Amino acid sequence: MCGAMSAEWNPGDLAGLAATIVVAEQRSAGLLWQNTAKTIAATADGDPVRVAVCPYTAVEFTAPSDAARPLLYDETGGKWSLSFDGVDDQLRTTTSPAYAQPCAVATVHSTAGVSFKYLYSSLADFGVALYRGGGGGSANWTPYAGSSGSAYAAAAAGAVCRLTTVYSGASTQRYVDGVANGAPSNAGTNNGSGLMVGNRFDNVLPCDLRVSALLAWPNPTAEQIALLDAFLLTYAP
C-alpha cells in the first residue's frame, strides 16, 4: 500500500471487495503493466496499460488488445489516472466475482463528453452499470441495474467527480463526495458480476474519460461510504 492512509483504513477492509482500481497505489506498487506477460511496467505519463492488478485482491483488469489499452495519465501532485480514448479503450476483470445487491460502486473520474456512453458495467449483460447522457446530451450519470434510476446532476465539463452508487432495487441511492444526492430511486435488481471499465459489456458504447479509482463491494454501510470517500479524496485530482 502507499499514501498517508496506508497504515490506517483502506479498501482492503471492505468485506467482499471486488476487483478494484486505485491508479496511484497500483503505479507505486508496480501493479500496472504494458504487456500481458507483465514484464514491462507502466510507470510514466502516457504509458499504455494492458494489465492492472488490484492491490487488495490481486484480481486483474486487462485490456483485450494492445489497441484497447488506456494510457497512464499524470494528474500532478502524486495523483494518477487512466485515460480512456472513447474509441476502443477498456479494462475488464479476468474473473467474474459476484457482488449481490445491495452493493456499491465508487468512482473517481472526469470527462468532458456528453454523448451516451458507459463508464462501467458488469461483464455479463448489464449487471450494475453507470452511463452518461442517455438521450439528454448532458454530462450527467445514471445508475442502471435492469432499469434506469434517477440521474446524478450534470457535472461541469472536465470536473472531477467522486460518485458512489448504492444499488438496492427501488432504494438505489446516489452519493456525491460521500453525501447523499437526492432521493432513492429504482435502478432495478440486477446483481454485479465482474467489472468492465470504459465501455458497456457489449463493447458498443466506449467512453472518453479519465479514471483515478473504481471500487465495488457488497452490503455497503454509511460508515464504509464515508471512510471510502475520505480515502479516495487523497487520490482525487
Side-chain angles (χ1 to χ4, degrees), residues 21-87:
I21 290 173
V22 182
V23 180
E25 285 209 347
Q26 289 165 295
R27 176 183 173 275
S28 295
L31 297 175
L32 300 176
W33 302 95
Q34 298 186 43
N35 59 340
T36 55
K38 295 185 288 187
T39 57
I40 306 172
T43 58
D45 183 52
D47 280 352
V49 175
R50 186 74 189 265
V51 180
V53 183
C54 173
Y56 310 108
T57 68
V59 172
E60 296 180 356
F61 285 85
T62 62
S65 68
D66 281 352
R69 295 177 295 181
L71 301 181
L72 191 58
Y73 188 92
D74 186 355
E75 301 279 3
T76 73
K79 299 176 181 182
W80 294 80
S81 64
L82 295 176
S83 179
F84 294 78
D85 63 7
V87 177

Side-chain angles (χ1 to χ4, degrees), residues 63-120:
S65 68
D66 281 352
R69 295 177 295 181
L71 301 181
L72 191 58
Y73 188 92
D74 186 355
E75 301 279 3
T76 73
K79 299 176 181 182
W80 294 80
S81 64
L82 295 176
S83 179
F84 294 78
D85 63 7
V87 177
D88 56 4
D89 288 357
Q90 61 179 263
L91 290 174
R92 294 169 168 258
T93 52
T94 52
T95 62
S96 300
Y99 40 102
Q101 290 200 28
C103 60
V105 182
T107 65
V108 180
H109 67 276
S110 63
T111 181
V114 298
S115 59
F116 182 34
K117 302 289 184 180
Y118 271 70
L119 195 165
Y120 62 79

Side-chain angles (χ1 to χ4, degrees), residues 98-229:
Y99 40 102
Q101 290 200 28
C103 60
V105 182
T107 65
V108 180
H109 67 276
S110 63
T111 181
V114 298
S115 59
F116 182 34
K117 302 289 184 180
Y118 271 70
L119 195 165
Y120 62 79
S121 81
S122 292
L123 293 180
D125 205 347
F126 289 93
V128 298
L130 192 70
Y131 67 82
R132 181 186 74 196
S138 63
N140 59 348
W141 294 95
T142 300
Y144 185 92
S147 61
S148 294
S150 295
Y152 287 91
V160 176
C161 300
R162 297 198 320 277
L163 307 182
T164 300
T165 306
V166 176
Y167 296 87
S168 187
S171 299
T172 296
Q173 180 65 62
R174 308 173 310 283
Y175 292 82
V176 177
D177 299 345
V179 179
N181 179 251
S185 62
N186 188 0
T189 58
N190 290 352
N191 294 317
S193 179
L195 273 173
M196 180 174 186
V197 187
N199 206 333
R200 196 168 71 176
F201 70 95
D202 53 5
N203 291 322
V204 298
L205 291 168
C207 193
D208 48 315
L209 80 164
R210 299 203 304 267
V211 176
S212 298
L214 187 148
L215 307 93
W217 78 102
N219 302 310
T221 66
E223 180 183 22
Q224 289 174 338
I225 291 168
L227 287 167
L228 178 59
D229 189 72

